[in-house]
Amino acid sequence: MLLNHTPSPELSPLAIGEDISPLPTIKSAGTTEVDFSGLLTKPLRLHEDLAQGCGGQLWPAGMTLARHMLRYHRDDLRKSRILELGAGGGLVGLAVAKGCAVDGPLYVTDQAGMFPLMEHNITLNDLSSRVKAAVLNWGKPLPREIVDLRANVILAADCVYFEPAFPLLMATLTDLLTLCPSATVFFCFKKRRRADMQFLKKAQKTFRVVVIEDQDRHAFSRQGLFLYTFSSKAQHKQLPETKNR
Ligand SMILES: C[S@@+](CC[C@H](N)C(=O)[O-])C[C@H]1O[C@@H](n2cnc3c(N)ncnc32)[C@H](O)[C@@H]1O
């Protein structure tokens, strides 16, 4: 994998173990080039800057989900309406826009503090014609342009890391799957605390949760990373033959 800038530390400010809280390793701002183990011929350029929040650096679940999408969904997303939640600097969405056949617009979303970084990274990769940045706060009403998008492919990586935000994220996922019952959420997270599995239990009660195949599963499972699709249970009942997406 090509990484010209200091790789994002595993001990990020929020990668806290269950019993100990190591001092955070704050990464200095800079631009990283990443080709996802050679899956991109021309690397993605990502500016990382933690000044506005933890999303300002690349996270391990984001790397895993981006690699999965590039490997398994390169050619089947052209007509999809794609939305990334908690995008940080836009790692997953921008990788998909760059390496998969996508007509767009693809939306990368996060809280207001991350907006300039998402915009900067869209420009850095010359993706302004196909990728848009938007502010989407979990638990709040969906912005008009996101309602209008009616996303049918939703990407969420490393969005399970802060327990008070779990119900907010659940509410937004529920809103999105109500808006578009045929949508598929590609959901990747790293278990850091016991509570993280509570989010998954809640998701299993609410959505149809499927473990998806990935050639790297063995390796990323060892790092505590989980990769699933979520979809609407109601939709699945109506269409019993529906595959993962
Ligand atoms: C750990 S970072 C992951 C960033 C990126 N997806 C990745 O994998 O590199 C989690 C992201 O979720 C965003 N986030 C946290 N709470 C949020 C909320 N209530 N509404 C929207 N985004 C939120 C943060 O701003 C941050 O960018």
Side-chain angles (χ1 to χ4, degrees):
M1 180 192 308
L2 185 61
L3 273 174
N4 287 346
H5 181 59
T6 328
S8 292
E10 189 54 23
L11 278 185
S12 67
L14 289 156
I16 305 167
E18 294 195 346
D19 304 315
I20 50 159
S21 300
L23 286 172
T25 308
I26 302 293
K27 189 180 178 186
S28 56
T31 300
T32 299
E33 291 200 349
V34 54
D35 71 354
F36 304 96
S37 315
L39 288 164
L40 285 180
T41 39
K42 199 168 164 220
L44 187 67
R45 300 185 69 209
L46 280 163
H47 189 69
E48 295 181 272
D49 186 351
L50 284 163
Q52 295 304 319
C54 68
Q57 71 167 42
L58 315 187
W59 284 66
M63 294 297 291
T64 299
L65 182 55
R67 223 177 272 125
H68 176 84
M69 300 307 291
L70 290 170
R71 192 171 277 139
Y72 298 99
H73 295 283
R74 205 175 268 275
D75 300 313
D76 61 2
L77 296 175
R78 186 176 291 283
K79 296 286 167 226
S80 299
R81 304 178 302 277
I82 308 172
L83 166 70
E84 183 179 6
L85 298 175
L91 169 63
V92 185
L94 293 179
V96 167
K98 198 168 172 82
C100 303
V102 168
D103 287 345
L106 177 158
Y107 276 82
V108 287
T109 70
D110 205 295
Q111 293 177 305
M114 286 295 121
F115 186 79
L117 188 62
M118 293 190 287
E119 290 257 72
H120 180 76
N121 285 331
I122 291 169
T123 308
L124 203 56
N125 291 281
D126 205 13
L127 287 169
S128 309
S129 61
R130 289 187 296 126
V131 182
K132 288 190 188 313
V135 173
L136 189 164
N137 288 300
W138 307 335
K140 294 276 192 295
L142 296 171
R144 185 74 247 168
E145 59 188 324
I146 301 300
V147 172
D148 292 345
L149 175 69
R150 260 187 94 246
N152 62 353
V153 172
I154 297 153
L155 308 166
D158 251 325
C159 291
V160 175
Y161 67 99
F162 181 54
E163 215 178 332
F166 291 0
L168 307 179
L169 179 59
M170 275 302 297
T172 291
L173 289 170
T174 303
D175 286 351
L176 290 167
L177 287 174
T178 304
L179 190 65
C180 182
S182 61
T184 302
V185 182
F186 290 87
F187 198 89
C188 190
F189 73 98
K190 182 172 168 93
K191 178 183 179 289
R192 297 184 174 85
R193 306 173 189 79
R194 255 184 296 272
D196 296 346
M197 296 325 270
Q198 294 307 320
F199 181 87
L200 185 66
K201 277 191 191 149
K202 178 81 181 147
Q204 280 166 330
K205 281 194 186 138
T206 316
F207 311 122
R208 178 168 183 261
V209 175
V210 176
V211 174
I212 42 178
E213 283 310 310
D214 190 293
Q215 69 177 57
D216 293 338
R217 173 166 299 285
H218 191 62
F220 67 65
S221 297
R222 278 199 312 251
Q223 297 166 39
L225 287 153
F226 295 83
L227 177 61
Y228 298 99
T229 54
F230 298 171
S231 54
S232 156
K233 279 190 177 180
Q235 171 74 8
H236 186 63
K237 264 185 214 142
Q238 280 165 21
L239 300 169
E241 297 307 318
T242 306
K243 291 201 295 179
N244 278 353
R245 55 171 312 275

